Amino acid sequence: MSACVPTRATDSHQNRTKRAPQPHSPPPPSPRRFRIAGADVSASIAVFLIALPLSLGIALATGAPLQAGLVAAAVGGLVAGRLGGCPLQVSGPAAGLTVVTADLIHRYGWRTTCAVTVLAGLAQLALGCLRVARTALAVSPAIVHGMLAGIGVTIAVAQLHIVLGGTPQSSVLANLRALPAQLADVHPADVAMSVLTLALLLLWPRVPGRLGHLMRKMPAALVAVAGATLTASLAGLSLAKVDLPSWGSHALAGLPEGPALGIAAAVLTTTLVCSVQSLLGAVAVDKLVAGQPGLSARVGRSDLNRELLGQGAANIVSGALGGLPVAGVAVRSSANVQAGAVSRNSTMLHGVLVVVAALLMVPVLELIPLASLAALVMAVGIQMVSLNHIRTVTRHREVLVYVVTTLGVVFLGVLEGVLLGVTVAVAVALNRLAHTRITHDEKEGVHHVHVRGQLTFLAVPRLSRTLHHVPQGTHVVVELDGSFMDHAAYESLQDWQNSHTARGGTAELTGRRTGVRDTGPDGTGFETALANTATGTTIGATSGTTTAAPARTTADAPSGGPTTSTVCRCHPWTPWRNHQCDHRRSTPAGGHPADPTDQPADRPAPGTAEPSSPGTGPHPGTGTHPGAGPNPGTGTPTGTGTPRSGTGTGTADSQLARGISAFQRDTAPLVRGELARLAKEGQRPSQLFLTCADSRLVTSMITSSGPGDLFVVRNVGNLVPPPGEESGDDSVAAAIEYAVDVLRVRSITVCGHSGCGAMQALLNSEPGGTQTPLKRWLRHGVPSLERMADDGRPWARLAGRAPADAVEQLCLTNVVQQLEHLRGHESVARALREGALELHGMYFHVGEAQAYLLTEADGGGLFDGVGVADMSA
């Protein structure tokens, strides 16, 4: 390796702090004219072409003056774009506000609706000053998706009347009742323009080949409306068209007129919908930005409280000028990012273009058929009922909340539907907490009491009744399949256990918490295990089990027989050679210990391979989640420790056999149902986890994941070879393609770790020499080495401290470099462009058991530590 790298690693901190300015920092500001990047100009034009027809269509759907849509689009671009906390989010009239605004206009009139918009903006300013933006995101996604779906259904049903040439009614029920009569009185010209608009909307993005790629540069919404307008003009069709009165007669906001309680409810509803939609849109934009290489470092993450302040200011201005309520719009924001916008200038420039169009393009806009705008808005409403959202809430068992919220919004109103959804969500959560299923059966003389769900005082009567039916003097296994036990349940179990053992019975507790387990007639082990879960503590810390066969103690041992111990103080992931289990040792009846030179029955005989840590017993479990405890009688070799085959030593063979046996005994019964479901439904992992083959990295442990969660790829050095015939690697590339295109994972994580042997070998490698398989593979890490040696690029670093040495620096740099290689793969690049995939960098310090996540703070990358408090984020 070049001598510059070790020298740089030696005094890395001092050398790098002397750089001024840093390579990735802009030069010192100098007086110069305001400039707009070319990418922002092109992006603003693309957004403007989408916003113009949608703004008119949403105004039409609400029953407001059509100019109001243009006012809201201009104010959203200029005010929210300048003051908001999400630079690339485009604000304006949103389809999600259509139902709310239409109801306000119907009840109170247009001038009062504008006043409500102003008051809602003031409420948003207050919420932004209170910094509660993050709290607004705590609403259940099922409620938010249900609200949007209900609004979408309402929009689609109402616009269907305009598509057919009629006029929508004031409610969904009224629209449904009037639909048969409307179908009997269809206007062919309106239907024809609507069908043409929908056909262009559907087919324009799907034109294949190079021609399709060029055509897709023009937004489908604009093409659909323009095509219908041109056809209607050339054919001379007689149908209703856009009517934009003179701006001199445009109605502005007035003092609110109506009952105070009704106005307050209207302000609350408008504030809720505007705020939630804007904040969720900002979060979605952050995800899109994260998928654009180099853009996240330039734009940064959204400031949600500032975004709330910007939206409030925009609503105040829009309402005062007679515009519709303003919110962040997902379609326009996504188009802004994908068109290459790099700053808030694109959003503001799109607002300027809307102003120009509203002033200079009125004759052209008045040629647009209303049926075409209605079809466009109806398509947007249908898209708001997302099948992806339905699948998500189904997977999380929140379909009831989603359906109730949707129906409530459709038939009662937005505020009423959301409140109904919140009520149902709370009831579902309480039901899950209180609902406990308790069963009792007998197998081969052993009584099994299975408790599924949380064990609280509400379940104590049923638990006591079930335990009362267990015959006296029998052996009982109580299986706790939950994560919570309160004090009442703990005392009830303890009292029953004391009573049952006093009558000659035995009790055994199993659950999801590993630790001291088992019980004899004295009940000590059972009581100790119960104490771990009593008084409201959780028992779901790990996915292990606490089963064991009942053991005899000194009290019930026959005269002259040995005493036994079944207490295990090991964790389920403890290495085989480091287990400190108390194995069954023979003790003479007189109480004197046996000769320490005696070999226990399951330890290898002298001359066979011993574990590397002297004095420790063999491992009864595995690195998965077995119970911890001795494992006699499992069919493993005893006495001599001779191997079962000629492929390994007796010790290794017995360790493997004991581990497998412990899994079959302890873990398999717990995971069999879940694995059976996965075998039937197929795997659906949420992320691809690419990490090193180092044995110290237990991916399921450090990510708290289970079967079916991670699609794992491991290799030496967590390397991602760049795509291409010469440098590529089919194995890793195939795994990436399969994960992204077939499994549809939502994120990919590249995880490095401290003390990586591959990085050490890379640092110590010398040019030339024999090209072994390891050296040929490590050539994929050379770009990481070159990146670290490049003085013109910032270094990857850890938050709070400098890297310990050159190896750790290379480990960090390698994660950043492999993420760049990953973005070069076609399937990954395509998914990132579509916003369907996120990339994450991770560094795990083995000695500290500390995980660090990569944040794109600059070109080099900052790895920030993840703490316990971050679990709530």
Side-chain angles (χ1 to χ4, degrees):
M1 174 184 172
S2 175
C4 64
V5 174
T7 303
R8 181 179 173 186
T10 305
D11 55 352
S12 59
H13 195 63
Q14 293 85 346
N15 287 342
R16 300 191 67 78
T17 55
K18 292 179 183 179
R19 295 182 182 179
Q22 293 181 347
H24 57 281
S25 300
S30 58
R32 57 185 177 90
R33 293 179 301 172
F34 175 74
R35 294 180 181 177
I36 300 178
D40 282 334
V41 175
S42 61
S44 67
I45 296 174
V47 175
F48 161 72
L49 295 176
I50 297 174
L52 189 64
L54 281 177
S55 299
L56 293 173
I58 291 172
L60 173 67
T62 60
L66 295 185
Q67 296 102 317
L70 299 177
V71 171
V75 171
L78 292 171
V79 179
R82 179 64 184 89
L83 303 178
C86 182
L88 300 187
Q89 175 160 256
V90 180
S91 301
L97 295 163
T98 302
V99 175
V100 177
T101 309
D103 183 60
L104 290 178
I105 295 174
H106 176 73
R107 290 188 182 187
Y108 305 113
W110 172 241
R111 293 172 66 87
T112 298
T113 300
C114 292
V116 168
T117 302
V118 174
L119 294 175
L122 292 172
Q124 286 181 298
L125 287 181
L127 293 175
C129 292
L130 294 174
R131 306 187 67 80
V132 297
R134 288 284 176 187
T135 306
L137 297 179
V139 180
S140 169
I143 297 175
V144 176
H145 298 328
M147 178 188 74
L148 296 178
I151 292 172
V153 171
T154 305
I155 292 173
V157 173
Q159 297 309 297
L160 181 59
H161 284 269
I162 301 180
V163 166
L164 297 175
T167 303
Q169 305 299 314
S170 59
S171 67
V172 175
L173 289 177
N175 282 318
L176 291 176
R177 283 194 295 265
L179 192 57
Q182 185 63 62
L183 291 173
D185 185 23
V186 171
H187 293 236
D190 293 281
V191 174
M193 292 303 98
S194 299
V195 170
L196 176 61
T197 302
L198 293 174
L200 288 173
L201 271 176
L202 181 64
L203 300 177
W204 187 263
R206 292 172 171 78
V207 177
R210 181 176 299 178
L211 177 62
H213 180 73
L214 294 175
M215 293 171 59
R216 282 191 290 274
K217 293 184 180 297
M218 188 68 67
L222 178 67
V223 172
V225 174
T229 301
L230 184 62
T231 303
S233 300
L234 294 178
L237 299 178
S238 175
L239 69 172
K241 298 181 180 180
V242 169
D243 182 18
L244 292 174
S246 170
W247 284 102
S249 61
H250 180 63
L252 304 180
L255 294 176
E257 299 177 359
L261 188 60
I263 296 297
V267 172
L268 176 62
T269 304
T270 306
T271 304
L272 172 67
V273 178
C274 287
S275 301
V276 171
Q277 182 163 347
S278 299
L279 295 175
L280 291 176
V283 173
V285 169
D286 281 346
K287 294 180 180 180
L288 291 176
V289 170
Q292 299 287 339
L295 183 59
S296 56
R298 182 167 183 174
V299 176
R301 293 179 62 84
S302 299
D303 183 342
L304 296 185
N305 290 300
R306 179 179 172 181
E307 179 65 19
L308 205 54
L309 292 172
Q311 295 293 334
N315 274 312
I316 293 174
V317 175
S318 180
L321 296 179
L324 292 171
V326 171
V329 187
V331 176
R332 282 165 252 178
S333 302
S334 175
N336 193 35
V337 176
Q338 293 176 356
V342 295
S343 72
R344 62 178 72 245
N345 291 334
S346 64
T347 303
M348 297 172 63
L349 186 56
H350 124 271
V352 173
L353 294 175
V354 172
V355 173
V356 173
L359 296 176
L360 303 180
M361 295 178 58
V362 172
V364 176
L365 297 178
E366 289 185 335
L367 296 175
I368 300 175
L370 293 183
S372 177
L373 293 179
L376 175 64
V377 177
M378 184 178 72
V380 173
I382 294 173
Q383 290 172 353
M384 292 173 71
V385 186
S386 170
L387 293 178
N388 185 46
H389 292 164
I390 295 175
R391 284 192 293 265
T392 300
V393 298
T394 302
R395 187 166 60 248
H396 293 282
R397 298 185 301 163
E398 292 186 326
V399 175
L400 180 61
V401 178
Y402 179 88
V403 171
V404 168
T405 305
T406 301
L407 295 178
V409 170
V410 169
F411 295 109
L412 300 178
V414 175
L415 182 60
E416 293 84 353
V418 170
L419 292 177
L420 193 60
V422 171
T423 303
V424 174
V426 172
V428 169
L430 291 176
N431 178 69
R432 290 176 179 173
L433 181 63
H435 182 70
T436 308
R437 182 183 177 188
I438 303 174
T439 59
H440 170 221
D441 59 350
E442 180 184 359
K443 296 179 181 178
E444 299 179 355
V446 178
H447 291 262
H448 295 266
V449 177
H450 196 173
V451 181
R452 295 181 178 87
Q454 318 314 317
L455 194 54
T456 65
F457 67 94
L458 298 174
V460 167
R462 288 185 290 125
L463 177 64
S464 300
R465 185 164 54 250
T466 302
L467 294 175
H468 180 72
H469 292 156
V470 176
Q472 298 179 5
T474 57
H475 177 58
V476 184
V477 177
V478 180
E479 304 174 36
L480 301 179
D481 187 8
S483 59
F484 180 83
M485 178 195 298
D486 68 4
H487 189 71
Y490 161 68
E491 287 197 346
S492 177
L493 274 174
Q494 188 181 42
D495 291 343
W496 168 82
Q497 183 263 341
N498 291 335
S499 174
H500 186 73
T501 55
R503 290 174 172 81
T506 58
E508 179 184 338
L509 172 69
T510 69
R512 294 189 175 185
R513 186 183 182 92
T514 56
V516 178
R517 81 263 191 317
D518 198 1
T519 177
D522 60 350
T524 304
F526 190 42
E527 183 175 345
T528 305
L530 277 174
N532 289 332
T533 61
T535 64
T537 57
T538 60
I539 61 175
T542 62
S543 300
T545 179
T546 53
T547 56
R552 295 184 303 173
T553 62
T554 307
D556 66 336
S559 176
T563 60
T564 61
S565 171
T566 60
V567 177
C568 176
R569 298 178 177 86
C570 296
H571 296 292
W573 56 81
T574 304
W576 285 336
R577 60 192 181 90
N578 291 335
H579 255 261
Q580 305 294 331
C581 301
D582 294 333
H583 297 284
R584 298 176 185 266
R585 306 289 180 85
S586 298
T587 303
H592 300 289
D595 188 343
T597 60
D598 292 344
Q599 294 287 341
D602 56 354
R603 179 166 294 191
T608 60
E610 279 280 89
S612 58
S613 298
T616 60
H619 185 339
T622 67
T624 54
H625 294 87
N631 184 26
T634 59
T636 56
T638 59
T640 62
T642 55
R644 300 188 185 195
S645 69
T647 60
T649 64
T651 300
D653 185 75
S654 59
Q655 288 169 348
L656 177 62
R658 288 191 185 91
I660 296 173
S661 177
F663 166 80
Q664 294 298 145
R665 181 190 68 240
D666 299 333
T667 309
L670 297 178
V671 302
R672 187 171 287 118
E674 176 67 9
L675 291 179
R677 183 187 67 82
L678 290 172
K680 179 181 179 181
E681 299 178 0
Q683 60 170 331
R684 297 176 184 175
S686 60
Q687 62 176 299
L688 166 61
F689 198 87
L690 196 149
T691 188
C692 185
D694 194 293
S695 62
R696 297 166 295 180
L697 286 181
V698 184
T699 57
S700 59
M701 184 173 69
I702 63 178
T703 58
S704 298
S705 55
D709 292 339
L710 299 180
F711 187 73
V712 181
V713 175
R714 307 188 70 153
N715 60 51
V716 176
N718 48 275
L719 301 178
V720 181
E725 294 183 2
E726 294 183 1
S727 61
D729 178 88
D730 287 342
S731 174
V732 178
I736 293 172
E737 180 183 348
Y738 185 77
V740 175
D741 292 343
V742 179
L743 298 180
R744 302 288 182 182
V745 296
R746 297 188 294 274
S747 68
I748 301 179
T749 300
V750 176
C751 177
H753 67 97
S754 61
C756 182
M759 298 300 102
Q760 182 68 54
L762 202 57
L763 278 171
N764 297 333
S765 63
E766 296 291 342
T770 305
Q771 288 298 307
T772 64
L774 179 59
K775 285 186 176 182
R776 286 195 296 270
W777 170 253
L778 288 181
R779 76 184 187 278
H780 301 303
V782 171
S784 302
L785 201 60
E786 295 172 346
R787 186 188 190 102
M788 191 177 79
D790 186 359
D791 288 330
R793 307 182 74 169
W795 273 5
R797 62 196 189 279
L798 294 172
R801 69 173 178 87
D805 51 26
V807 176
E808 186 169 51
Q809 180 64 69
L810 184 56
C811 292
L812 297 172
T813 305
N814 184 57
V815 172
V816 179
Q817 183 64 37
Q818 300 312 314
L819 285 173
E820 284 196 8
H821 292 177
L822 194 59
R823 293 186 182 98
H825 286 261
E826 181 182 355
S827 57
V828 174
R830 182 175 61 255
L832 289 174
R833 287 194 301 269
E834 296 171 354
L837 184 66
E838 297 178 4
L839 300 185
H840 302 287
M842 177 177 169
Y843 175 74
F844 186 74
H845 194 288
V846 177
E848 299 173 357
Q850 176 63 56
Y852 297 84
L853 286 179
L854 173 65
T855 58
E856 295 289 342
D858 52 42
L862 174 68
F863 288 82
D864 199 2
V866 180
V868 177
D870 296 326
M871 293 194 309
S872 61

